[in-house]
Structures are given as C-alpha cells and as structure tokens.
Amino acid sequence: MPSTRRPRAKPFPRTNESLLTAPRYLFVPDAETLAREASAGLEECRDRLTSLLKQRGPRTVANLLVPYDHLLLGLGELQGQSKFLFDVHPDAAVRETADKWYQEAERFATDLALNRPLYDAFVALDVTKEDADTQFAVQKILRDFRLSGVDRDEPTRARVKELRDAMTAIGQDFDRAIREDERSIQVDGPQALAGLPDDFVRAHPAGPDGKITITTQYPDAIPVLRYARDPEVRRRLQWEYLNRAHPANLETLSKLLATRHELARILGYDGFAEYIVQDKMVGSAKGVAEFLQKVRAASEAHAKEDVALLVGRKKKDVPGATSLHAWDTNYYTELVRAENFAFDAKLLRPYFEFSKVRDGLFEISRELFGVRYERVTGVPVWHESVEVFDVYDGPRRLGRFYLDLHPRKDKYTHAAASILVRGTSGNALPQAALMCNFPDPREGPALMEYLEVETFFHEFGHLLHAIFMGHGRWVKNTDDGIEWDFIEAPSQMLEEWVRDPEALRRFALHYETGEPVPADFVAKLKRADAVSRALDVQRQLVLATLSLDYYKGDPTGVDTTKSLEATYRRFPLVPFHPGTHFQCNFGHLNGYSAIYYTYMWSLVIAKDLFSKFQEAKTILDPTIAQRYREMILAPGSRKPASELVEDFLGRPLSFDAFENWLNREGR
Ligand SMILES: [Zn+2]
C-alpha cells in the first residue's frame, strides 16, 4: 500500500441524499494503521465523556443524551468492526491487533457502565416532555446502569468490578478447556465404519496397525452418531464427546456459578438467573420456568410417539429392545427418515447452487420488503471475494451490506451477521455484513446443503433487521437495546421461506437442467423434518432446564454432576449417557448462563409472526411483509418487543402456531 491514509472521501462521497460513512476501521491497510485508528477512536470516546461530564447547569437532551449517543455510536463502531476483523481478516497481524482493541473497547464499555457521575447526570435529566422514543431510550439507559450496580456505594462498585473481571477470566478458562480437549477413539476398520457415507470412509483410512481414528470434532462426531451402524462405536465416541473438559471444568464451572451468584446477591437478586432476565422479554426466572413447563406440556405426547417410533425400528436390530440409549437417538432418527420417507438430503444439493440461491434470496426479499439491492464496485474490501451492496427503498438509500460468504484459511468457521455501523437518523446509515462458509462458485459447481440454505436465509434475516432498524434517533433504540430473547425471531422467521414450495420454485433449480425441485422432494423433506421433532424439543428442554437450574440459587456445595443426572431423570424420554459430564462441555453455560431458553422462546415468536403470512393466499404477499417491516423490523427497540409483536399480530402473542408446528406440520 503506497499510502496509509484512510480512504474516506473518495469511495464514500458525502452527498445530500446519503450519510453513508466509511466504516472507520474496516479497510485499514495494515495492523499499525488499525492500532493508530483504534487508539484515536477510543481517545475520542474518552474526550466525549470528559466534555459531557464537564457541562455546567441543568442536564438536557442536547447536552447529555445527544453527546452520549454519539459516544455510543463511535464506541459501537470500534467494538463491531474490531470483532469482525478478528474473525475475517486475512492478515494475522491485523487480526491480533483487532482482538487487542476489541478488548480495550470492552474494558472502556464496562467502565462506562460503572461511571457514577455519568449515571447521576442521567438521573438528573428530565425527559417527561420528550417524545416516546427518547423516554424509552433513557429508561433503558437508567435500567442498564442500575443492573451494572453503578448506583451502589463505592466498596460495592469495586467488588462488582472485581467479580465482572473474574467472570470474564473464568469464562474464558471454561471455553478454552472445551475447545482444547479434542479426544478420539480407535476402531477396527473398515467394518466399524459401516453405515457411514463413502466420503467419510475415504477420509478415514486405517493406520499401519489397521486401526481407524475418529475424533470428537464435529465433522467426525456428527456423522458417526447419525450413521454408524455399530452401537459400540457410537457409544464409545459419545462417551468421549460428553466427557470433554472433564474433570478440568468441574471446578471452573463451580467457580463461575459462585462468582455470578455473588454478583447477583450484592445487586439484590436471589440468584443469577433472576438477575440476567431483568432486561429480557420473559422478565423473571419464574417466567422462564413457566415457559419451559408450557413447552413440556405441548411436546410430551408427541415425544412419546417419537420414542415409540424409534424403539420400534430399534427392535428390528435388537430384538426385545424397550428403550433408547443416548447414542441411539440420532442414529434411529436418521434411519427412520431414510426408510419411512425415502428421504435423502443429498438429493436436494443439485437444486441449491450458490449463485441461484443468492439471487433467489435477493429476489424474494426484494419483493417482500419493497427494496432493491445495487451492487457497489470500486470500494475497498478486506478480501477480493467480498461483495458489497447498497439497499434502496425507491430513491432512498437505506444502508450497505457486505457479503463474505466462502471459506478461506484463518477465517471464522461458523455463520454470523455483524453490525458494522449502527445507523441513526442524521448521523450514519446502517452497515452490516454476513460471514459464512458456503461452497465457492469459483471452484466449480457450488452445491449447498439444505441446512446451509436455511442458514443463509437466517443470517440474511439478521442483516435486513439491522438495515431497517438503523434509522431511528437513538443508538439505544437499535439492536443495542433489543431483548436477547427476541433478537432471533426475525431471522428464524425468514427460514420459513426455505420450506415453502412456491418460494423454492424461484431458486431451487437444478444446476445443470434448470428444472425446479420436484414437489415430492419438498413434501418428503417436510415429513422427514418432523421425525423426532417433539423429542428434540424435549432435549432442548433438558438443556434449558440445566441452564436455568444451575444459575437459580446458591451453588455452594452443589454437585453439578448430581444436578445433571437429576435433570435428566425429570425428562425420562431423553436418555442419559451414564458416566458422562455434559456440564463440563456445555459451552452455553458460560456465554448464555441461565438463558438457554431464549432459542425456544424466540422460535415461539417466529412461528406466531409467520402465521400471519400463512393466513394470506401466498407467503410471498408483499402487503403483510411491508407491515412486518414497518412494525417489527424498522422500530428496532423503540418499544418493548412484546408491544411490537402485539402491534403486528393485532393480538397478544400466542402459543398456537408453535404447537401446530410441533404436533401437526409434516406429520
Ligand atoms: Zn441468529
């Protein structure tokens, strides 16, 4: 790079119609430039804080909320883009620098949440004459300050800070132990691999001693538990899999639970579960327990039928079998899918060529939401394969997104949507990115798995949410303030278009013949998808119950293994693998703590929102989609999510659509 100057003005002209700004950190040429920019950016945040605290006289929106909001916008750019660069940048030095500055930005954010003079200033701010958006933003700012403990005395605040730092460090230990404990088993080949796909067998040749090694990594563990005919192979691998990070994480988990419990107690809550749901839709730990009870009641009868179906199939292999082992569930589910419904997911792949899927997703979302996407060229990108698009509504530009969709060395290996610039009206247009690992069309026919297509729609749902919501007045009313148990609902809902025959006909075209995917494939897919659905919901309930129970009360003296076994006993349809320690490798116990329930909670919402589309003649009805855009997506968090949902539905949230999906759809 000949110049280290930030290419701001040239590729991003500031015109009257647009407030599109260059994402400040995203296109740095090297690590030094990133460090310099990040340091300057964080310094600006500090200066903003100092100058807004120096204000004399009464607190007003203009002298407090406006500068604070600008601070959050700037800080959010540093947090969002440094985290993103760490995940995708091809240059290791840039990734390392990005990680360092992400941590710095997080530290600043924690200090900000515990800044007493800032909190006092907000307490003194009178917003009673302001509009509803402003009142709600300030209400959330005050709530978050109190949840962080800023209103407590000095020794308590100091202890809170210690506990938060400890929580982060212990949580990192917990995650690391899981990540680093890769285990394996040795089996006698090749008969031990009977039932597994040919490409799997080819990729696992026997060593000189005739033994084949299978590891606990996903690419091995998932197919083995699904397809390996030999139950002993499945049992042995699952035993290792469910004992990862054991015994190391027994003590780490106990420390994590104790630290979080103390934090909750000194902030005035019975336990961490109660504390962590204060800013969620569910509102209380009791609400979570009631929700789980409701899901249990809705799924129990069909889960019993699922078990009977699987046991019935198992009897053909094991005469007299009356129950399933933990290592049987996935295997017999796949077998019943294949035998009863003649379904093979691989048959769908030729209909999901990457470029056609992407064009179909664009076309469907354009039609539904009344927008268009314009390819942007000539702007800098972090890798040559990245594509850039602007989103327009008529002549009005709404924002920009970046697609980084194919795998490469040293890139994040999962799929995610990231907000790079949180838009607010008059300040900046929203910008977001998708990072995924779909087959690359530059390397021959890029045929996607069905689940990858679903992921693409899901993540694009997050992206559209970010673009539509980034036009309000305050950062606190964007994703920054959205309830965690709501945020997945819009993306889960967009997945529905992948299961709809009419929508599929738009893009599921054979990559060689152009023929649309046959209707009976889609019907089979739906029926196969319903096998073990209720049983899987019960398994999700075990996880959600574990997550809630570990964090509900005082963990002193609690034997986490005994609690694990007790939870499984409460859900007898879900078999337990004796002698295993899932609590040691259940990573969500760190990242999600008590709130694993959020997955199912937002699914209930997604199903209910989607029921409005099902009521129409076609789920491609643009009138409903436009209403959905205006009432659910565009408001961001300008209102509590429960109100947004009710506005759109014209009634309170209902469980019916979820129950219908659970009990009827595809059955
Ligand atoms: Zn998601």
Side-chain angles (χ1 to χ4, degrees):
M1 281 277 167
S3 159
T4 52
R5 292 194 124 221
R6 200 161 71 240
R8 265 202 135 154
K10 215 175 71 195
F12 295 90
R14 272 182 181 276
T15 66
N16 291 337
E17 61 88 29
S18 151
L19 283 161
L20 193 71
T21 53
R24 182 167 179 176
Y25 312 99
L26 205 56
F27 305 123
V28 289
D30 51 46
E32 292 74 50
T33 317
L34 175 60
R36 204 163 49 239
E37 274 302 319
S39 165
L42 203 54
E43 208 43 49
E44 281 167 32
C45 291
R46 288 206 177 90
D47 289 347
R48 280 210 164 98
L49 179 64
T50 313
S51 79
L52 77 84
L53 289 175
K54 268 209 299 252
Q55 283 287 334
R56 305 252 166 250
R59 288 297 175 181
T60 63
V61 165
N63 73 24
L64 179 62
L65 185 56
V66 170
Y68 179 65
D69 198 71
H70 278 136
L71 190 166
L72 290 184
L73 193 65
L75 182 60
E77 262 206 75
L78 180 55
Q79 289 169 305
Q81 291 166 36
S82 57
K83 191 165 191 339
F84 184 77
L85 284 174
F86 173 67
D87 286 331
V88 301
H89 207 280
D91 180 350
V94 170
R95 288 199 304 274
E96 204 178 298
T97 307
D99 190 36
K100 173 177 179 280
W101 285 96
Y102 174 68
Q103 306 297 343
E104 290 288 333
E106 288 291 294
R107 250 193 296 282
F108 178 75
T110 310
D111 291 345
L112 204 58
L114 285 168
N115 187 309
R116 185 61 187 255
L118 183 62
Y119 167 70
D120 290 339
F122 271 101
V123 171
L125 175 68
D126 178 11
V127 287
T128 48
K129 294 194 179 65
E130 301 296 329
D131 62 16
D133 276 17
T134 307
Q135 291 190 14
F136 191 50
V138 171
Q139 188 191 321
K140 281 186 286 186
I141 289 169
L142 284 170
R143 177 202 62 194
D144 292 350
F145 267 127
R146 289 179 187 130
L147 285 173
S148 74
V150 72
D151 55 341
R152 307 302 161 121
D153 58 22
E154 180 52 41
T156 310
R157 291 214 305 278
R159 184 67 187 144
V160 165
K161 190 157 168 35
E162 273 172 21
L163 289 168
R164 285 200 181 277
D165 290 346
M167 237 167 74
T168 309
I170 301 166
Q172 281 166 349
D173 287 346
F174 186 78
D175 289 346
R176 191 182 316 110
I178 300 171
R179 206 168 49 234
E180 290 178 356
D181 191 6
E182 183 188 323
R183 300 183 176 206
S184 62
I185 60 168
Q186 299 235 303
V187 296
D188 293 319
Q191 70 276 15
L193 299 188
L196 281 148
D198 292 343
D199 53 349
F200 185 95
V201 177
R202 271 198 302 276
H204 293 78
D209 56 356
K211 301 272 185 197
I212 294 170
T213 302
I214 311 172
T215 74
T216 51
Q217 300 278 59
Y218 291 131
D220 278 7
I222 291 174
V224 166
L225 286 169
R226 277 187 192 159
Y227 304 114
R229 213 168 283 155
D230 183 346
E232 192 52 17
V233 172
R234 296 196 307 268
R235 185 195 66 75
R236 285 175 56 210
L237 188 67
Q238 195 187 52
W239 193 90
E240 297 293 345
Y241 187 80
L242 293 175
N243 273 319
R244 281 171 306 146
H246 176 264
N249 267 352
L250 283 178
E251 202 191 320
T252 311
L253 177 61
S254 293
K255 269 199 258 173
L256 188 62
L257 297 177
T259 308
R260 282 175 162 167
H261 185 69
E262 184 185 344
L263 178 72
R265 291 295 298 151
I266 64 176
L267 293 176
Y269 297 90
D270 291 346
F272 194 75
E274 190 63 37
Y275 169 71
I276 198 72
V277 295
Q278 291 304 308
D279 58 355
K280 311 291 182 291
M281 286 180 85
V282 73
S284 68
K286 189 163 157 275
V288 179
E290 283 165 5
F291 170 71
L292 297 180
Q293 190 47 46
K294 217 169 160 180
V295 174
R296 178 172 191 162
S299 59
E300 198 99 318
H302 277 293
K304 275 187 192 139
E305 289 173 20
D306 287 339
V307 171
L309 185 66
L310 302 187
V311 171
R313 178 59 190 80
K314 184 179 171 181
K315 273 185 190 150
K316 291 188 191 169
D317 298 340
V318 186
T322 54
S323 64
L324 298 168
H325 294 302
W327 52 94
D328 287 336
T329 316
N330 288 327
Y331 174 73
Y332 284 106
T333 297
E334 289 304 324
L335 204 58
V336 168
R337 277 180 182 155
E339 291 178 356
N340 295 19
F341 302 108
F343 178 72
D344 180 354
K346 282 192 283 300
L347 294 177
L348 286 170
R349 288 184 66 221
Y351 297 93
F352 292 136
E353 195 277 318
F354 170 79
S355 311
K356 286 198 170 72
V357 171
R358 185 200 54 200
D359 294 349
L361 170 59
F362 277 14
E363 190 190 317
I364 288 170
S365 57
R366 266 198 308 252
E367 247 179 78
L368 284 171
F369 300 116
V371 291
R372 64 173 207 283
Y373 310 118
E374 271 184 25
R375 179 79 193 266
V376 181
T377 51
V379 294
V381 284
W382 55 94
H383 187 264
E384 56 185 16
S385 66
V386 174
E387 294 184 315
V388 188
F389 295 87
D390 279 345
V391 185
Y392 283 88
D393 184 342
R396 186 174 152 234
R397 178 152 58 178
L398 294 180
R400 173 167 290 184
F401 65 81
Y402 305 82
L403 300 180
D404 184 350
L405 298 181
H406 309 297
R408 63 173 173 270
K409 197 172 161 290
D410 296 327
K411 187 183 146 182
Y412 178 78
T413 54
H414 300 281
S418 301
I419 297 183
L420 302 171
V421 179
R422 284 180 171 133
T424 51
S425 67
N427 294 312
L429 286 179
Q431 298 187 54
L434 290 194
M435 45 182 167
C436 302
N437 289 281
F438 302 138
D440 193 336
R442 291 171 306 172
E443 294 162 5
L447 306 181
M448 298 172 78
E449 302 284 346
Y450 172 72
L451 287 178
E452 289 177 323
V453 179
E454 196 179 82
T455 301
F456 199 178
F457 275 64
H458 176 103
E459 299 303 341
F460 202 74
H462 284 304
L463 188 133
L464 284 178
H465 197 184
I467 299 291
F468 288 139
M469 82 167 95
H471 304 273
R473 196 170 167 200
W474 307 115
V475 168
K476 201 71 197 174
N477 287 342
T478 61
D479 70 298
D480 192 29
I482 292 186
E483 294 94 325
W484 191 338
D485 44 7
F486 177 69
I487 204 141
E488 290 298 320
S491 47
Q492 285 173 328
M493 198 195 74
L494 210 62
E495 290 174 19
E496 298 288 347
W497 276 262
V498 178
R499 296 187 264 276
D500 180 69
E502 193 188 345
L504 279 171
R505 268 198 299 278
R506 304 287 190 90
F507 64 88
L509 307 170
H510 196 283
Y511 77 107
E512 283 169 337
T513 65
E515 285 292 307
V517 63
D520 72 311
F521 276 29
V522 183
K524 274 185 199 164
L525 169 76
K526 283 198 160 192
R527 274 157 47 205
D529 187 59
V531 175
S532 291
R533 184 183 287 155
L535 180 57
D536 194 53
V537 165
Q538 291 260 323
R539 202 182 61 82
Q540 293 285 315
L541 281 171
V542 171
L543 306 192
T545 304
L546 268 177
S547 134
L548 176 65
D549 286 0
Y550 278 141
Y551 281 105
K552 222 164 48 183
D554 186 350
T556 314
V558 168
D559 179 334
T560 55
T561 305
K562 286 207 175 99
S563 317
L564 174 80
E565 290 167 3
T567 303
Y568 270 92
R569 274 196 300 277
R570 283 167 60 194
F571 294 90
L573 295 172
V574 184
F576 176 65
H577 191 141
T580 59
H581 299 83
F582 173 56
Q583 81 273 32
C584 292
N585 45 75
F586 185 15
H588 288 82
L589 288 179
N590 177 37
Y592 275 62
S593 69
I595 60 166
Y596 192 86
Y597 79 94
T598 53
Y599 286 103
M600 265 186 299
W601 179 278
S602 48
L603 187 61
V604 169
I605 300 171
K607 294 290 178 194
D608 204 13
L609 295 174
F610 183 61
S611 71
K612 281 282 155 195
F613 288 86
Q614 287 173 304
E615 283 166 16
K617 247 196 259 130
T618 158
I619 71 161
L620 296 169
D621 186 318
T623 323
I624 296 168
Q626 292 280 1
R627 269 191 62 227
Y628 174 75
R629 174 185 152 184
E630 276 161 35
M631 304 178 97
I632 299 282
L633 301 178
S637 60
R638 269 170 255 169
K639 281 182 179 184
S642 58
E643 285 180 33
L644 300 179
V645 170
E646 216 170 311
D647 288 349
F648 173 69
L649 294 172
R651 56 164 171 78
L653 181 70
S654 146
F655 227 66
D656 295 354
F658 177 75
E659 273 198 77
N660 194 45
W661 165 77
L662 200 54
N663 295 330
R664 277 180 287 279
E665 199 182 297
R667 281 184 183 268

